Amino acid sequence: RAYRRAAERRPRFDQAVRRQLEILSRLEAENCPALDPPADAFAALLSGAAAEVDDPIRRRVLEQILYHLGRWVYLVDAADDLKEDAASGNYNPVALRYGLTEGTWTPEARRDFGYTLDHSIHMITTAFELWDFGVWRPLLESTVYTGLFAVGKAVLDGTYRRVVMVGY
């Protein structure tokens, strides 16, 4: 019910999300060996959340933040799933791009992928600095300038652990 209500309130966003999910699904079904096409599909999905912001400058800032955050999320999730996907045979663009077997990083692949993740964060920070986020700035600043780098490093080092929230 909640999805139906949200789709009724934001039909353009719902259509955009559906379109991007179709693109992403097709790329994954085709075992797309490149990182950018599936990451872009997910990034475009997330950036669409800014489409209804009235102020054109704020909308552009949010589109850029959400786009690069979406790209980062898609890629870091794929990196986090390397071992599971190798065991199950599921699609993983990181494994395909870097030729990783058994979900194991080579030092060169880990380094190069780290640069890719960091680039997305740098793009987020570039857009972040273009807007005044008011009272939310300290929290967002901590997330963007520290948290994302820490999570990316933990995923690449194999020390990241998902937190399961009970009772929510």
PDB file of all heavy atoms in Angstrom, residues 13-39:
ATOM      1  N   PHE A  13       8.423  10.307 -10.804  1.00  0.00           N
ATOM      2  CA  PHE A  13       9.548   9.627 -10.161  1.00  0.00           C
ATOM      3  C   PHE A  13       9.365   8.118 -10.246  1.00  0.00           C
ATOM      4  O   PHE A  13      10.308   7.384 -10.535  1.00  0.00           O
ATOM      5  CB  PHE A  13       9.698  10.079  -8.708  1.00  0.00           C
ATOM      6  CG  PHE A  13      10.839   9.425  -7.991  1.00  0.00           C
ATOM      7  CD1 PHE A  13      12.148   9.571  -8.436  1.00  0.00           C
ATOM      8  CD2 PHE A  13      10.619   8.645  -6.868  1.00  0.00           C
ATOM      9  CE1 PHE A  13      13.205   8.959  -7.776  1.00  0.00           C
ATOM     10  CE2 PHE A  13      11.667   8.031  -6.198  1.00  0.00           C
ATOM     11  CZ  PHE A  13      12.963   8.191  -6.659  1.00  0.00           C
ATOM     12  N   ASP A  14       8.152   7.651 -10.022  1.00  0.00           N
ATOM     13  CA  ASP A  14       7.874   6.219 -10.125  1.00  0.00           C
ATOM     14  C   ASP A  14       8.205   5.698 -11.521  1.00  0.00           C
ATOM     15  O   ASP A  14       8.842   4.656 -11.672  1.00  0.00           O
ATOM     16  CB  ASP A  14       6.405   5.949  -9.790  1.00  0.00           C
ATOM     17  CG  ASP A  14       6.047   4.479  -9.904  1.00  0.00           C
ATOM     18  OD1 ASP A  14       6.750   3.640  -9.304  1.00  0.00           O
ATOM     19  OD2 ASP A  14       5.068   4.170 -10.612  1.00  0.00           O
ATOM     20  N   GLN A  15       7.803   6.427 -12.556  1.00  0.00           N
ATOM     21  CA  GLN A  15       8.098   6.015 -13.930  1.00  0.00           C
ATOM     22  C   GLN A  15       9.599   6.014 -14.197  1.00  0.00           C
ATOM     23  O   GLN A  15      10.126   5.098 -14.832  1.00  0.00           O
ATOM     24  CB  GLN A  15       7.390   6.935 -14.929  1.00  0.00           C
ATOM     25  CG  GLN A  15       5.904   6.749 -14.957  1.00  0.00           C
ATOM     26  CD  GLN A  15       5.204   7.809 -15.798  1.00  0.00           C
ATOM     27  OE1 GLN A  15       5.811   8.772 -16.249  1.00  0.00           O
ATOM     28  NE2 GLN A  15       3.908   7.620 -16.008  1.00  0.00           N
ATOM     29  N   ALA A  16      10.288   7.033 -13.696  1.00  0.00           N
ATOM     30  CA  ALA A  16      11.739   7.112 -13.893  1.00  0.00           C
ATOM     31  C   ALA A  16      12.445   5.947 -13.193  1.00  0.00           C
ATOM     32  O   ALA A  16      13.370   5.345 -13.746  1.00  0.00           O
ATOM     33  CB  ALA A  16      12.269   8.451 -13.378  1.00  0.00           C
ATOM     34  N   VAL A  17      12.017   5.622 -11.988  1.00  0.00           N
ATOM     35  CA  VAL A  17      12.606   4.502 -11.251  1.00  0.00           C
ATOM     36  C   VAL A  17      12.368   3.195 -11.994  1.00  0.00           C
ATOM     37  O   VAL A  17      13.289   2.395 -12.181  1.00  0.00           O
ATOM     38  CB  VAL A  17      12.044   4.426  -9.815  1.00  0.00           C
ATOM     39  CG1 VAL A  17      12.399   3.099  -9.144  1.00  0.00           C
ATOM     40  CG2 VAL A  17      12.554   5.594  -8.980  1.00  0.00           C
ATOM     41  N   ARG A  18      11.159   2.992 -12.456  1.00  0.00           N
ATOM     42  CA  ARG A  18      10.842   1.766 -13.197  1.00  0.00           C
ATOM     43  C   ARG A  18      11.703   1.649 -14.461  1.00  0.00           C
ATOM     44  O   ARG A  18      12.211   0.580 -14.777  1.00  0.00           O
ATOM     45  CB  ARG A  18       9.366   1.725 -13.573  1.00  0.00           C
ATOM     46  CG  ARG A  18       8.452   1.467 -12.409  1.00  0.00           C
ATOM     47  CD  ARG A  18       6.986   1.600 -12.863  1.00  0.00           C
ATOM     48  NE  ARG A  18       6.077   1.448 -11.773  1.00  0.00           N
ATOM     49  CZ  ARG A  18       5.450   0.308 -11.470  1.00  0.00           C
ATOM     50  NH1 ARG A  18       5.675  -0.771 -12.183  1.00  0.00           N
ATOM     51  NH2 ARG A  18       4.633   0.255 -10.453  1.00  0.00           N
ATOM     52  N   ARG A  19      11.863   2.752 -15.158  1.00  0.00           N
ATOM     53  CA  ARG A  19      12.680   2.762 -16.382  1.00  0.00           C
ATOM     54  C   ARG A  19      14.131   2.394 -16.063  1.00  0.00           C
ATOM     55  O   ARG A  19      14.734   1.550 -16.727  1.00  0.00           O
ATOM     56  CB  ARG A  19      12.596   4.134 -17.056  1.00  0.00           C
ATOM     57  CG  ARG A  19      13.300   4.236 -18.377  1.00  0.00           C
ATOM     58  CD  ARG A  19      13.050   5.572 -19.093  1.00  0.00           C
ATOM     59  NE  ARG A  19      13.182   6.741 -18.238  1.00  0.00           N
ATOM     60  CZ  ARG A  19      12.162   7.479 -17.781  1.00  0.00           C
ATOM     61  NH1 ARG A  19      10.923   7.179 -18.101  1.00  0.00           N
ATOM     62  NH2 ARG A  19      12.377   8.527 -17.001  1.00  0.00           N
ATOM     63  N   GLN A  20      14.685   2.989 -15.033  1.00  0.00           N
ATOM     64  CA  GLN A  20      16.078   2.700 -14.677  1.00  0.00           C
ATOM     65  C   GLN A  20      16.245   1.275 -14.173  1.00  0.00           C
ATOM     66  O   GLN A  20      17.248   0.628 -14.457  1.00  0.00           O
ATOM     67  CB  GLN A  20      16.585   3.708 -13.645  1.00  0.00           C
ATOM     68  CG  GLN A  20      16.733   5.122 -14.172  1.00  0.00           C
ATOM     69  CD  GLN A  20      17.532   5.207 -15.457  1.00  0.00           C
ATOM     70  OE1 GLN A  20      17.050   5.736 -16.456  1.00  0.00           O
ATOM     71  NE2 GLN A  20      18.742   4.692 -15.461  1.00  0.00           N
ATOM     72  N   LEU A  21      15.253   0.771 -13.447  1.00  0.00           N
ATOM     73  CA  LEU A  21      15.330  -0.621 -12.981  1.00  0.00           C
ATOM     74  C   LEU A  21      15.265  -1.600 -14.145  1.00  0.00           C
ATOM     75  O   LEU A  21      15.924  -2.635 -14.121  1.00  0.00           O
ATOM     76  CB  LEU A  21      14.230  -0.917 -11.958  1.00  0.00           C
ATOM     77  CG  LEU A  21      14.425  -0.302 -10.580  1.00  0.00           C
ATOM     78  CD1 LEU A  21      13.210  -0.554  -9.696  1.00  0.00           C
ATOM     79  CD2 LEU A  21      15.697  -0.824  -9.917  1.00  0.00           C
ATOM     80  N   GLU A  22      14.488  -1.263 -15.171  1.00  0.00           N
ATOM     81  CA  GLU A  22      14.444  -2.105 -16.370  1.00  0.00           C
ATOM     82  C   GLU A  22      15.800  -2.124 -17.070  1.00  0.00           C
ATOM     83  O   GLU A  22      16.281  -3.179 -17.498  1.00  0.00           O
ATOM     84  CB  GLU A  22      13.365  -1.607 -17.343  1.00  0.00           C
ATOM     85  CG  GLU A  22      11.959  -1.893 -16.898  1.00  0.00           C
ATOM     86  CD  GLU A  22      10.917  -1.220 -17.781  1.00  0.00           C
ATOM     87  OE1 GLU A  22      11.257  -0.711 -18.872  1.00  0.00           O
ATOM     88  OE2 GLU A  22       9.742  -1.199 -17.359  1.00  0.00           O
ATOM     89  N   ILE A  23      16.410  -0.959 -17.191  1.00  0.00           N
ATOM     90  CA  ILE A  23      17.743  -0.869 -17.805  1.00  0.00           C
ATOM     91  C   ILE A  23      18.745  -1.672 -16.996  1.00  0.00           C
ATOM     92  O   ILE A  23      19.512  -2.474 -17.538  1.00  0.00           O
ATOM     93  CB  ILE A  23      18.196   0.603 -17.931  1.00  0.00           C
ATOM     94  CG1 ILE A  23      17.320   1.346 -18.945  1.00  0.00           C
ATOM     95  CG2 ILE A  23      19.673   0.695 -18.317  1.00  0.00           C
ATOM     96  CD1 ILE A  23      17.489   2.851 -18.923  1.00  0.00           C
ATOM     97  N   LEU A  24      18.723  -1.489 -15.692  1.00  0.00           N
ATOM     98  CA  LEU A  24      19.646  -2.203 -14.808  1.00  0.00           C
ATOM     99  C   LEU A  24      19.426  -3.707 -14.896  1.00  0.00           C
ATOM    100  O   LEU A  24      20.392  -4.477 -15.010  1.00  0.00           O
ATOM    101  CB  LEU A  24      19.471  -1.714 -13.366  1.00  0.00           C
ATOM    102  CG  LEU A  24      20.396  -2.300 -12.328  1.00  0.00           C
ATOM    103  CD1 LEU A  24      21.858  -2.049 -12.677  1.00  0.00           C
ATOM    104  CD2 LEU A  24      20.070  -1.706 -10.959  1.00  0.00           C
ATOM    105  N   SER A  25      18.187  -4.123 -14.896  1.00  0.00           N
ATOM    106  CA  SER A  25      17.874  -5.547 -14.987  1.00  0.00           C
ATOM    107  C   SER A  25      18.393  -6.139 -16.296  1.00  0.00           C
ATOM    108  O   SER A  25      18.954  -7.240 -16.317  1.00  0.00           O
ATOM    109  CB  SER A  25      16.360  -5.746 -14.872  1.00  0.00           C
ATOM    110  OG  SER A  25      16.037  -7.093 -14.976  1.00  0.00           O
ATOM    111  N   ARG A  26      18.210  -5.404 -17.388  1.00  0.00           N
ATOM    112  CA  ARG A  26      18.692  -5.881 -18.692  1.00  0.00           C
ATOM    113  C   ARG A  26      20.219  -6.003 -18.694  1.00  0.00           C
ATOM    114  O   ARG A  26      20.775  -7.005 -19.151  1.00  0.00           O
ATOM    115  CB  ARG A  26      18.241  -4.932 -19.808  1.00  0.00           C
ATOM    116  CG  ARG A  26      18.580  -5.473 -21.199  1.00  0.00           C
ATOM    117  CD  ARG A  26      18.285  -4.488 -22.317  1.00  0.00           C
ATOM    118  NE  ARG A  26      19.362  -3.508 -22.380  1.00  0.00           N
ATOM    119  CZ  ARG A  26      19.239  -2.201 -22.126  1.00  0.00           C
ATOM    120  NH1 ARG A  26      18.087  -1.689 -21.801  1.00  0.00           N
ATOM    121  NH2 ARG A  26      20.277  -1.400 -22.201  1.00  0.00           N
ATOM    122  N   LEU A  27      20.917  -4.997 -18.170  1.00  0.00           N
ATOM    123  CA  LEU A  27      22.381  -5.034 -18.124  1.00  0.00           C
ATOM    124  C   LEU A  27      22.875  -6.208 -17.283  1.00  0.00           C
ATOM    125  O   LEU A  27      23.837  -6.885 -17.649  1.00  0.00           O
ATOM    126  CB  LEU A  27      22.939  -3.718 -17.577  1.00  0.00           C
ATOM    127  CG  LEU A  27      22.772  -2.505 -18.486  1.00  0.00           C
ATOM    128  CD1 LEU A  27      23.016  -1.218 -17.707  1.00  0.00           C
ATOM    129  CD2 LEU A  27      23.718  -2.612 -19.669  1.00  0.00           C
ATOM    130  N   GLU A  28      22.224  -6.434 -16.156  1.00  0.00           N
ATOM    131  CA  GLU A  28      22.621  -7.547 -15.294  1.00  0.00           C
ATOM    132  C   GLU A  28      22.330  -8.894 -15.976  1.00  0.00           C
ATOM    133  O   GLU A  28      23.140  -9.808 -15.890  1.00  0.00           O
ATOM    134  CB  GLU A  28      21.928  -7.436 -13.940  1.00  0.00           C
ATOM    135  CG  GLU A  28      22.460  -6.259 -13.123  1.00  0.00           C
ATOM    136  CD  GLU A  28      21.769  -6.061 -11.785  1.00  0.00           C
ATOM    137  OE1 GLU A  28      20.720  -6.691 -11.535  1.00  0.00           O
ATOM    138  OE2 GLU A  28      22.278  -5.252 -10.994  1.00  0.00           O
ATOM    139  N   ALA A  29      21.195  -9.002 -16.657  1.00  0.00           N
ATOM    140  CA  ALA A  29      20.860 -10.246 -17.367  1.00  0.00           C
ATOM    141  C   ALA A  29      21.845 -10.529 -18.493  1.00  0.00           C
ATOM    142  O   ALA A  29      22.140 -11.688 -18.796  1.00  0.00           O
ATOM    143  CB  ALA A  29      19.438 -10.169 -17.916  1.00  0.00           C
ATOM    144  N   GLU A  30      22.369  -9.467 -19.104  1.00  0.00           N
ATOM    145  CA  GLU A  30      23.351  -9.615 -20.188  1.00  0.00           C
ATOM    146  C   GLU A  30      24.774  -9.833 -19.666  1.00  0.00           C
ATOM    147  O   GLU A  30      25.700  -9.976 -20.447  1.00  0.00           O
ATOM    148  CB  GLU A  30      23.347  -8.348 -21.060  1.00  0.00           C
ATOM    149  CG  GLU A  30      22.073  -8.124 -21.825  1.00  0.00           C
ATOM    150  CD  GLU A  30      22.010  -6.745 -22.478  1.00  0.00           C
ATOM    151  OE1 GLU A  30      22.920  -5.902 -22.254  1.00  0.00           O
ATOM    152  OE2 GLU A  30      21.041  -6.496 -23.211  1.00  0.00           O
ATOM    153  N   ASN A  31      24.950  -9.834 -18.341  1.00  0.00           N
ATOM    154  CA  ASN A  31      26.276  -9.934 -17.728  1.00  0.00           C
ATOM    155  C   ASN A  31      27.213  -8.844 -18.235  1.00  0.00           C
ATOM    156  O   ASN A  31      28.360  -9.121 -18.606  1.00  0.00           O
ATOM    157  CB  ASN A  31      26.898 -11.312 -17.960  1.00  0.00           C
ATOM    158  CG  ASN A  31      26.503 -12.289 -16.892  1.00  0.00           C
ATOM    159  OD1 ASN A  31      26.023 -11.914 -15.826  1.00  0.00           O
ATOM    160  ND2 ASN A  31      26.699 -13.561 -17.173  1.00  0.00           N
ATOM    161  N   CYS A  32      26.736  -7.627 -18.247  1.00  0.00           N
ATOM    162  CA  CYS A  32      27.532  -6.491 -18.706  1.00  0.00           C
ATOM    163  C   CYS A  32      28.875  -6.481 -17.971  1.00  0.00           C
ATOM    164  O   CYS A  32      28.910  -6.412 -16.740  1.00  0.00           O
ATOM    165  CB  CYS A  32      26.782  -5.191 -18.452  1.00  0.00           C
ATOM    166  SG  CYS A  32      27.706  -3.729 -18.963  1.00  0.00           S
ATOM    167  N   PRO A  33      29.988  -6.566 -18.705  1.00  0.00           N
ATOM    168  CA  PRO A  33      31.298  -6.664 -18.062  1.00  0.00           C
ATOM    169  C   PRO A  33      31.894  -5.320 -17.620  1.00  0.00           C
ATOM    170  O   PRO A  33      32.935  -5.300 -16.982  1.00  0.00           O
ATOM    171  CB  PRO A  33      32.163  -7.291 -19.155  1.00  0.00           C
ATOM    172  CG  PRO A  33      31.560  -6.798 -20.421  1.00  0.00           C
ATOM    173  CD  PRO A  33      30.077  -6.715 -20.162  1.00  0.00           C
ATOM    174  N   ALA A  34      31.245  -4.220 -17.949  1.00  0.00           N
ATOM    175  CA  ALA A  34      31.759  -2.893 -17.590  1.00  0.00           C
ATOM    176  C   ALA A  34      31.078  -2.405 -16.314  1.00  0.00           C
ATOM    177  O   ALA A  34      29.938  -2.770 -16.025  1.00  0.00           O
ATOM    178  CB  ALA A  34      31.508  -1.914 -18.731  1.00  0.00           C
ATOM    179  N   LEU A  35      31.778  -1.573 -15.568  1.00  0.00           N
ATOM    180  CA  LEU A  35      31.217  -1.021 -14.337  1.00  0.00           C
ATOM    181  C   LEU A  35      30.218   0.096 -14.603  1.00  0.00           C
ATOM    182  O   LEU A  35      29.191   0.199 -13.930  1.00  0.00           O
ATOM    183  CB  LEU A  35      32.333  -0.443 -13.455  1.00  0.00           C
ATOM    184  CG  LEU A  35      33.314  -1.391 -12.817  1.00  0.00           C
ATOM    185  CD1 LEU A  35      34.370  -0.606 -12.049  1.00  0.00           C
ATOM    186  CD2 LEU A  35      32.601  -2.351 -11.899  1.00  0.00           C
ATOM    187  N   ASP A  36      30.536   0.959 -15.550  1.00  0.00           N
ATOM    188  CA  ASP A  36      29.769   2.193 -15.702  1.00  0.00           C
ATOM    189  C   ASP A  36      28.314   2.022 -16.131  1.00  0.00           C
ATOM    190  O   ASP A  36      27.451   2.699 -15.567  1.00  0.00           O
ATOM    191  CB  ASP A  36      30.495   3.167 -16.627  1.00  0.00           C
ATOM    192  CG  ASP A  36      31.696   3.798 -15.939  1.00  0.00           C
ATOM    193  OD1 ASP A  36      31.684   3.907 -14.692  1.00  0.00           O
ATOM    194  OD2 ASP A  36      32.638   4.190 -16.641  1.00  0.00           O
ATOM    195  N   PRO A  37      27.979   1.175 -17.093  1.00  0.00           N
ATOM    196  CA  PRO A  37      26.553   1.113 -17.484  1.00  0.00           C
ATOM    197  C   PRO A  37      25.603   0.730 -16.338  1.00  0.00           C
ATOM    198  O   PRO A  37      24.627   1.441 -16.103  1.00  0.00           O
ATOM    199  CB  PRO A  37      26.535   0.094 -18.620  1.00  0.00           C
ATOM    200  CG  PRO A  37      27.917   0.189 -19.214  1.00  0.00           C
ATOM    201  CD  PRO A  37      28.821   0.409 -18.030  1.00  0.00           C
ATOM    202  N   PRO A  38      25.862  -0.345 -15.583  1.00  0.00           N
ATOM    203  CA  PRO A  38      24.921  -0.640 -14.498  1.00  0.00           C
ATOM    204  C   PRO A  38      25.000   0.384 -13.358  1.00  0.00           C
ATOM    205  O   PRO A  38      23.972   0.743 -12.776  1.00  0.00           O
ATOM    206  CB  PRO A  38      25.327  -2.041 -14.024  1.00  0.00           C
ATOM    207  CG  PRO A  38      26.725  -2.229 -14.487  1.00  0.00           C
ATOM    208  CD  PRO A  38      26.878  -1.402 -15.719  1.00  0.00           C
ATOM    209  N   ALA A  39      26.191   0.866 -13.063  1.00  0.00           N
ATOM    210  CA  ALA A  39      26.319   1.885 -12.010  1.00  0.00           C
ATOM    211  C   ALA A  39      25.590   3.155 -12.413  1.00  0.00           C
ATOM    212  O   ALA A  39      24.949   3.812 -11.586  1.00  0.00           O
ATOM    213  CB  ALA A  39      27.792   2.170 -11.716  1.00  0.00           C
TER     214      ALA A  39
END
